[in-house]
């Protein structure tokens, strides 16, 4: 189950927006803490096998033993809070054009906009380990079936992200 | 602790579970053993050949597109073969429920603010309402064909409703679009299509008793008049030019008559065809009743559900339907039947079979409540035979806008409902056995009105009591108020449809 109850943000371009989940075929954004070193590792979630996970870190595939991972979080999508905020502000300004109905429409747009933005900011967009097993997390990997046989680490490229 | 919104859900299934995947998912991903992936839409599983067929894209392990195939069969004459994937190549199948869009709420509010807000502030009882609306293609465009179970305004009033899909173009892959365009919650138990094969100019109509008649040789009327004069032009064609009158200013329960004549050359069994819908009088009365209940609406509705409210004569029964009379050999008017179907949205067509064979000039009388009906069409059809339909259930339901996860199973399984909210719409697909066919919608369910703030301010139990227990008196009392908004209701109603933008 997805955890409750607020949104965590992944780097821009590293995960799709929510609607594109149905057609996006990359893995989610994985953040993990390693037991032995307490290092924090981030990158695209490539695959999980029974005892190890594959992560695309700085353009290269890294493999970690699950037994050595104390915490992991896969972020599935980024929310649209910013867009809703802009929408609310713009919509509120537009109510000036409503003439006398402004007294009805401004509060309506403001209240609904704020509620929508707050609700969006609370939309759950991640899954944690160990509260969930890697079997559940792996649904959000590039290869949910596990690392396919015959694929070498060097064959894999990172997700194309927009230039910033 | 509960989550703020419905969460995203991704399901993965092994290939041997493919038959368990809900076909209503718009997209499916087929992850192959070698790491490549297909992202498919318009997909289906061919159980005979063990192939997953569909259109979409084929991506490599780095998610570069290797090839794409679009389903352009509706736009181009060239047929493009879908992908056909041998299931032995598939490792895992993936479906996603991305959860509801909150933007819908914001856009709806913006739309409402801009559109229906203004209309409904002025005329709150004229806002679009009444039950699920069904659209189908007439060959060129989607057209309103039917409204389901309009009189089922609470769970205990759930009932089925049969509506002719008069202008729907039958084809093997037949699609109905159902929408919720009002501030209502619709619970649809089923929406099946009744199919009759027909030849040439044959048509099938159903009577108020639920009997289907195959007809041919429909005669147009040669004359029509009522208290306002000639009315032939309004009723001779199915053209949305309707015959209607305004309600009586002193009493909403007031009847009028229409005399219609036909020239019948061949002796035989005939039936009067009536294409009609209601005006917004019943909508006004229903909304007014809810307004009188005010803040206690839930209490009253609960009492009603528990059968604790008993009324005398029913206000809608008092208004009545359209009664059809023919003349006997002595010139006396004899009641042939009555049509009564609630709903102001879609024109519905029925047949009233006449008891005796008719020949020569046939004069019929229609008796109806003033200001209650809009008649688009009258005709006299020769009845060939009684016929029975083939019932077709939907095989796929696609979500256009809506939150139902399994809309198909909710429509076809017992004790489940497809529940829709304002602005929702679903595409329901059927496989029809004939392309030259008459189609009817057989739907069942109920709906709940959302109480508007403007209504609550009118809470008045005394008038509620009058409406329920002395409806004859109430229809006189309410007449002046209805007459104030009657001229604008139709336009206001259609301009206040609730759409997600």
């Amino acid at each position: 189950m997805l955890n409750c109850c607020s949104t965590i943000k992944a780097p821009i371009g590293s995960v799709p927006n929510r609607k594109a989940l149905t057609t996006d075929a990359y893995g989610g954004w994985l953040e993990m803490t390693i037991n032995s070193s307490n290092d924090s590792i981030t990158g695209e979630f490539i695959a999980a096998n029974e005892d190890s996970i594959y992560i695309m870190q700085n353009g290269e595939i890294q493999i970690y033993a699950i037994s050595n991972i104390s915490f992991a979080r896969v972020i599935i999508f980024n929310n649209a809070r910013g867009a809703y905020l802009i929408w609310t502000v713009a919509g509120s300004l537009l109510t000036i054009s409503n003439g006398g109905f402004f007294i009805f429409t401004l509060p309506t747009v403001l209240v609904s906009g704020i509620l929508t933005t707050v609700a969006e900011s609370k939309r759950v967009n991640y899954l944690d380990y160990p509260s969930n097993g890697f079997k559940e997390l792996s649904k959000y990997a590039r290869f949910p079936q596990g690392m396919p046989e015959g694929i070498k680490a060097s064959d894999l490229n990172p997700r194309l992200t927009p230039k910033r | 602790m509960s989550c703020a919104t419905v969460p995203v859900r991704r399901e993965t299934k092994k290939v041997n579970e493919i038959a368990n995947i809900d076909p209503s998912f718009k997209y499916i991903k087929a992850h192959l053993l070698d790491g490549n992936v297909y992202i498919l839409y318009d997909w289906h599983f061919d159980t005979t050949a063990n192939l997953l067929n569909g259109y979409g894209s084929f991506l490599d392990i780095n998610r570069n597109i290797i090839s794409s195939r679009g389903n352009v069969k509706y736009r181009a004459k060239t047929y493009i073969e879908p992908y056909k994937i041998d299931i032995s190549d598939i490792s895992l199948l993936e479906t996603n429920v991305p959860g509801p869009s909150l933007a819908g709420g914001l856009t709806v509010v913006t739309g409402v603010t801009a559109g229906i807000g203004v209309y409904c502030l002025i005329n709150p009882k004229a806002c679009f309402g009444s039950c699920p609306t069904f659209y189908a293609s007439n060959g060129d465009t989607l057209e309103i064909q039917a409204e389901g179970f309009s009189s089922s305004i609470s769970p205990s009033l759930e009932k089925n409703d049969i509506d002719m899909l008069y202008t729907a173009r039958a084809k093997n892959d037949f699609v109905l679009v159902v929408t919720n365009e009002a501030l209502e919650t619709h619970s649809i138990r089923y929406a099946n299509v009744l199919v009759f094969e027909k030849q040439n100019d044959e048509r099938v109509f159903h009577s108020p008793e639920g009997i289907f008649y195959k007809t041919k040789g429909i005669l147009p009327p040669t004359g029509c008049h009522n208290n306002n004069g000639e009315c032939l032009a309004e009723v001779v064609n199915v053209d949305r030019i309707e015959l209607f009158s305004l309600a009586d200013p002193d009493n909403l329960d007031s009847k009028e008559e229409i005399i219609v004549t036909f020239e019948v050359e061949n002796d035989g069994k005939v039936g009067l065809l009536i294409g009609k819908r209601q005006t917004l009088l019943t909508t006004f009365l229903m909304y007014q009743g809810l307004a009188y209940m005010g803040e206690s609406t839930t209490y009253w509705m609960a009492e009603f559900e528990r059968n604790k409210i008993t009324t005398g004569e029913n206000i809608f029964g008092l208004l009545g339907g359209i009664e059809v009379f023919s003349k006997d050999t002595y010139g006396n008017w004899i009641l042939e039947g009555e049509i009564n179907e609630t709903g102001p949205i879609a024109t519905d067509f029925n047949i009233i079979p006449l008891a005796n064979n008719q020949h020569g000039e046939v004069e019929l009388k229609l008796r109806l409540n003033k200001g209650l009906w809009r008649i688009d069409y009258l005709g006299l059809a020769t009845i060939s035979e009684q016929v029975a339909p083939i019932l077709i259930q939907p095989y796929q339901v696609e979500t256009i806008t809506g939150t139902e996860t399994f809309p198909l199973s909710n429509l076809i399984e017992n004790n489940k409902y497809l529940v829709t909210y304002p602005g929702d719409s679903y595409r329901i697909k059927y496989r029809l056995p004939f392309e030259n066919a008459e189609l009817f919608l057989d739907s069942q369910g109920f709906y709940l009105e959302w109480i508007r703030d403007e209504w609550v301010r009118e809470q008045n139990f005394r008038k509620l009591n009058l409406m329920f227990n002395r409806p004859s008196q109430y229809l006189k009392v309410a007449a002046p108020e209805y007459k104030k908004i009657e001229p604008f209701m139709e336009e206001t109603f259609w301009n206040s449809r609730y759409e997600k933008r």
Side-chain angles (χ1 to χ4, degrees), chain A residues 2-5 18-19 21-26 76-77 84 87-88 98 101 104-105 108-109 112-113 116 119-120 122-124 139-140 142-145 148-149 151 155-157 160, chain B residues 1-12 27 29 31-35 37 39 59 61-64 91-92 94 96 98-103 105-107 109-110 113 118 121:
Chain A
L2 293 175
N3 299 295
C4 289
C5 272
R18 183 182 51 81
K19 281 186 180 173
L21 274 174
T22 51
T23 54
D24 185 89
Y26 289 100
I76 301 158
F77 62 92
Y84 290 169
W87 200 347
T88 304
N98 291 172
F101 286 111
F104 299 106
T105 56
T108 307
V109 172
S112 61
T116 304
E120 180 68 9
K122 289 186 173 180
R123 197 193 280 274
V124 183
K139 289 179 180 176
Y140 299 94
R142 185 187 297 191
F143 303 114
Q145 70 270 46
E149 286 184 17
I151 292 182
D155 293 335
L156 293 172
N157 299 327
L160 293 173
Chain B
M1 191 173 180
S2 63
C3 293
T5 55
V6 178
V8 166
R9 200 173 76 242
R10 174 170 288 180
E11 293 291 340
T12 53
Y27 291 98
K29 290 182 202 165
H31 293 271
L32 305 189
L33 295 167
D34 61 7
V37 62
I39 302 174
L59 288 71
I61 58 172
N62 288 309
R63 302 323 185 213
N64 302 308
S91 173
L92 207 64
E94 175 195 318
N96 290 272
S101 172
L102 298 175
L106 198 51
T107 46
V109 166
T110 308
T113 306
V118 174
L121 278 169

Side-chain angles (χ1 to χ4, degrees), chain A:
Chain A
M1 288 291 292
L2 293 175
N3 299 295
C4 289
C5 272
S6 61
T7 294
I8 307 292
K9 203 155 176 60
I12 293 171
S14 61
V15 291
N17 64 37
R18 183 182 51 81
K19 281 186 180 173
L21 274 174
T22 51
T23 54
D24 185 89
Y26 289 100
W29 184 255
L30 192 59
E31 299 175 345
M32 326 187 287
T33 305
I34 305 301
N35 261 334
S36 51
S37 60
N38 227 20
D39 283 347
S40 183
I41 309 293
T42 59
E44 185 195 341
F45 188 11
I46 298 296
N49 288 349
E50 276 195 9
D51 55 359
S52 55
I53 70 107
Y54 296 73
I55 184 170
M56 178 71 74
Q57 190 182 12
N58 298 321
E60 292 185 356
I61 297 292
Q62 305 291 336
I63 306 170
Y64 294 89
I66 290 176
S67 59
N68 202 22
I69 297 168
S70 59
F71 172 80
R73 166 172 291 169
V74 60
I75 303 171
I76 301 158
F77 62 92
N78 274 338
N79 70 28
R81 186 182 58 172
Y84 290 169
L85 196 57
I86 292 168
W87 200 347
T88 304
V89 172
S92 301
L93 291 173
L94 280 172
T95 59
I96 295 167
S97 67
N98 291 172
F101 286 111
F102 163 85
I103 57 169
F104 299 106
T105 56
L106 176 62
T108 307
V109 172
L110 267 179
V111 169
S112 61
I114 290 168
L115 289 175
T116 304
T117 306
V118 170
E120 180 68 9
S121 68
K122 289 186 173 180
R123 197 193 280 274
V124 183
N125 68 335
Y126 61 89
L127 206 61
D128 283 349
Y129 167 87
S131 51
N132 294 277
F134 262 104
K135 188 179 177 188
E136 187 66 23
L137 267 66
S138 68
K139 289 179 180 176
Y140 299 94
R142 185 187 297 191
F143 303 114
Q145 70 270 46
M147 197 65 174
E149 286 184 17
I151 292 182
K152 292 180 287 188
S154 59
D155 293 335
L156 293 172
N157 299 327
R159 171 196 280 268
L160 293 173
T161 54
K163 287 182 182 176
R164 275 180 274 169

Side-chain angles (χ1 to χ4, degrees), chain B residues 152-429:
Chain B
S152 303
I153 58 169
S154 70
S156 64
L157 293 177
E158 176 178 334
K159 68 172 189 179
N160 91 310
D161 184 20
I162 293 176
D163 297 292
M164 185 175 188
L165 306 175
Y166 186 85
T167 62
R169 174 73 64 87
K171 56 181 195 171
N172 293 132
D173 262 332
F174 180 70
V175 176
L176 281 177
V177 174
V178 60
T179 62
N180 181 338
E181 301 176 45
L183 292 171
E184 298 167 352
T185 301
H186 298 165
S187 298
I188 309 169
R189 186 187 287 273
Y190 60 75
N192 299 324
V193 170
L194 306 180
V195 184
F196 300 83
E197 189 173 25
K198 62 177 187 176
Q199 308 291 332
N200 304 322
D201 64 341
E202 289 179 339
R203 299 223 58 165
V204 177
F205 295 90
H206 78 298
S207 71
E209 292 76 30
I211 300 169
F212 294 91
Y213 294 94
K214 186 173 276 185
T215 69
K216 59 183 179 183
I218 296 172
L219 295 172
T222 52
C224 173
H225 67 270
N226 63 4
N227 287 342
N228 300 320
E230 285 294 319
C231 51
L232 187 61
E234 288 92 333
V235 301
V236 75
N237 292 313
V238 180
D239 54 8
R240 295 188 183 171
I241 298 171
E242 298 168 319
L243 171 63
F244 66 96
S245 57
L246 297 175
D248 187 305
D250 299 319
N251 187 354
L252 296 179
D253 176 16
S254 179
K255 308 302 179 198
E256 65 174 338
E257 294 179 350
I258 301 168
I259 305 294
V260 60
T261 52
F262 298 89
E263 286 293 336
V264 181
E265 291 181 1
N266 301 317
D267 198 20
K269 186 166 177 60
V270 294
L272 179 69
L273 306 178
I274 305 180
K276 84 291 170 213
R277 63 187 175 106
Q278 284 188 320
T279 66
L280 291 156
L281 177 55
T282 48
T283 303
F284 167 82
L285 291 170
M286 186 175 76
Y287 287 0
Q288 191 64 69
L290 292 169
Y292 291 153
M293 293 177 190
E295 290 180 337
S296 301
T297 301
T298 48
Y299 165 79
W300 290 110
M301 293 303 284
E303 291 291 290
F304 183 76
E305 285 296 292
R306 291 197 290 258
N307 286 322
K308 289 193 174 177
I309 296 180
T310 53
T311 62
E313 45 187 355
N314 178 318
I315 193 165
F316 294 128
L318 211 56
L319 295 176
I322 301 175
E323 296 171 322
V324 177
F325 299 83
S326 68
K327 278 184 175 173
D328 66 13
T329 49
Y330 303 105
N332 300 316
W333 289 113
I334 306 297
L335 180 66
E336 294 277 5
E338 180 181 1
I339 292 174
N340 196 350
E341 166 121 4
T342 309
I345 299 175
T347 300
D348 194 26
F349 294 78
N350 294 96
I351 188 168
I352 299 277
L354 305 185
N356 299 316
N357 289 2
Q358 304 288 332
H359 191 265
E361 185 179 271
V362 176
E363 196 173 52
L364 301 173
K365 180 172 81 174
L366 280 62
R367 185 171 179 270
L368 58 162
N369 201 83
K370 284 183 76 177
L372 179 61
W373 296 97
R374 300 178 79 98
I375 298 175
D376 186 15
Y377 178 68
L378 295 171
L380 197 70
T382 302
I383 295 173
S384 309
E385 58 180 330
Q386 286 186 26
V387 284
I390 297 172
L391 187 148
I392 306 291
Q393 284 190 315
Y395 74 91
Q396 190 177 25
V397 180
E398 289 178 357
T399 303
I400 302 170
T401 50
T403 55
E404 283 280 24
T405 310
F406 301 109
L408 176 65
S409 56
N410 289 349
L411 269 187
I412 61 177
E413 290 179 17
N414 285 337
N415 301 318
K416 287 188 176 180
Y417 293 90
L418 171 62
V419 179
T420 71
Y421 300 99
D424 285 358
S425 55
Y426 292 85
R427 193 176 290 114
I428 309 174
K429 297 186 175 181

